[in-house]
Every structure is written in structure tokens, then in C-alpha cells.
Amino acid sequence: DSNSEPCYTSQGYTGLGEVLFEWNDIDGAFLNFETGYHFSQRMGTTVQISCAMPLAYAWMERGEMDKAGEILKRYAVYIGSSTLGPQVDSLLVARQIHWLALAGEHRAIGHLAGSRGISLEGTREIFREPEFAAYARYLLMRGDLKQAVHLTSVLEPVSYTHLRAHET
């Protein structure tokens, strides 16, 4: 009975799915992603999104763009919402960029990047690293190596500063 399972276990299933995905156990990863996403539906939007994004990514990696798109479209309305934590918000944007890039939606990526201030001169808070990294990967896909390298090089000091601050 799925109702007897504590709803907070959704993140446990999703986390295990991420480990299995890294270990290339795709079937095990999908089972855990889907279970985690199922249980997340009884939780708040932030938990739902944090469980939905790995599932969407895995669908994209499998070439199942329609399935990934369904999940991403469901949560796109929450981009920039103050109800999300900044890390989850950035992950949501990163997955949107990834999906749009694979779909060849260059104009939509430009619009999203512009609305988020993702540029070589944009704000570079550590919690926004996923969306900046996704945009850098998109630049690489387009063959714009110079801009991609520049974008990642300006992110490096932010990451380094953040890591140093947590060492003390």
C-alpha cells in the first residue's frame, strides 16, 4: 500500500536513483526515480521538483523527449517563484535549458537566459551554478567554445570562494 509509505521517502528513492544512474544501472535508476516522483506528489512543490528533475534528465538521456517535456512543462510555471529554494529553482532552469537545447529551441533558450540574467556579465551566485553550467553546455553544443569557456571561467572563482568559506 503506497499510502503507508512515508511521503518524505520520495527524496530517498530519488537519491538512490541518482546513484544507480551514475553506476549505469538505468533500469534501477528509473524504478527509483519514478517511485520517488510518485511519493513526492504528496509533498510541497519544492520536493516535487527536486524529485522530478532527475527523472526528466534521465528521460532526456534516454531520448524520451516527450516524457521529459511533460514533466518540465508541468513545473515551468514555478521558475523564479519565491516558494522554491534557490537551488531547486536553478536546477529547474538548468533542466529546461537542457531540454530546449536538445529540442533545438534556440530562441526559447535565449529568452530564458535573458530573463534569468544568464550571460557573461550576469550575476554568479553559487546556488545558480546549475543554470549557468547548463547554459555553458548549450554554448558548447552550438560550437561557441570561446563563450562557454569564458562563462565557466567566471563561475570558477565563485565556486572556489564558496568552497573555501565552508572549509573554515
Side-chain angles (χ1 to χ4, degrees):
D1 178 17
S2 67
N3 289 328
S4 64
E5 187 79 27
C7 52
Y8 57 80
T9 60
S10 60
Q11 293 166 309
Y13 282 108
T14 298
L16 179 57
E18 289 175 329
V19 170
L20 294 172
F21 196 81
E22 288 297 317
W23 289 350
N24 210 26
D25 179 355
I26 305 303
D27 293 337
F30 268 94
L31 177 62
N32 282 279
F33 287 151
E34 289 174 332
T35 303
Y37 183 61
H38 168 76
F39 287 125
S40 77
Q41 299 308 294
R42 296 186 283 161
M43 301 291 286
T45 305
T46 299
V47 173
Q48 288 179 36
I49 291 171
S50 66
C51 292
M53 293 307 98
L55 178 59
Y57 179 78
W59 282 123
M60 284 186 272
E61 290 298 302
R62 260 192 171 175
E64 301 272 357
M65 295 297 289
D66 290 344
K67 290 182 180 183
E70 287 174 26
I71 293 171
L72 292 167
K73 286 175 188 169
R74 177 176 182 183
Y75 295 107
V77 295
Y78 294 101
I79 291 175
S81 169
S82 61
T83 61
L84 298 182
Q87 293 87 353
V88 173
D89 183 48
S90 187
L91 182 60
L92 177 56
V93 172
R95 293 297 169 252
Q96 294 285 343
I97 290 171
H98 186 187
W99 186 80
L100 291 168
L102 292 174
E105 298 286 341
H106 305 289
R107 186 170 291 158
I109 292 172
H111 177 72
L112 180 57
S115 71
R116 295 289 293 187
I118 302 171
S119 69
L120 300 179
E121 294 77 34
T123 317
R124 291 169 189 85
E125 297 92 359
I126 187 65
F127 58 81
R128 293 192 57 205
E129 187 176 10
E131 63 194 278
F132 276 84
Y135 190 68
R137 281 192 297 277
Y138 164 68
L139 292 172
L140 284 174
M141 285 174 62
R142 273 191 12 199
D144 198 340
L145 180 62
K146 186 176 180 179
Q147 275 197 316
V149 169
H150 182 68
L151 186 58
T152 55
S153 69
V154 293
L155 282 175
E156 183 182 12
V158 176
S159 299
Y160 179 75
T161 303
H162 179 75
L163 289 172
R164 296 289 297 163
H166 285 83
E167 286 179 355
T168 55

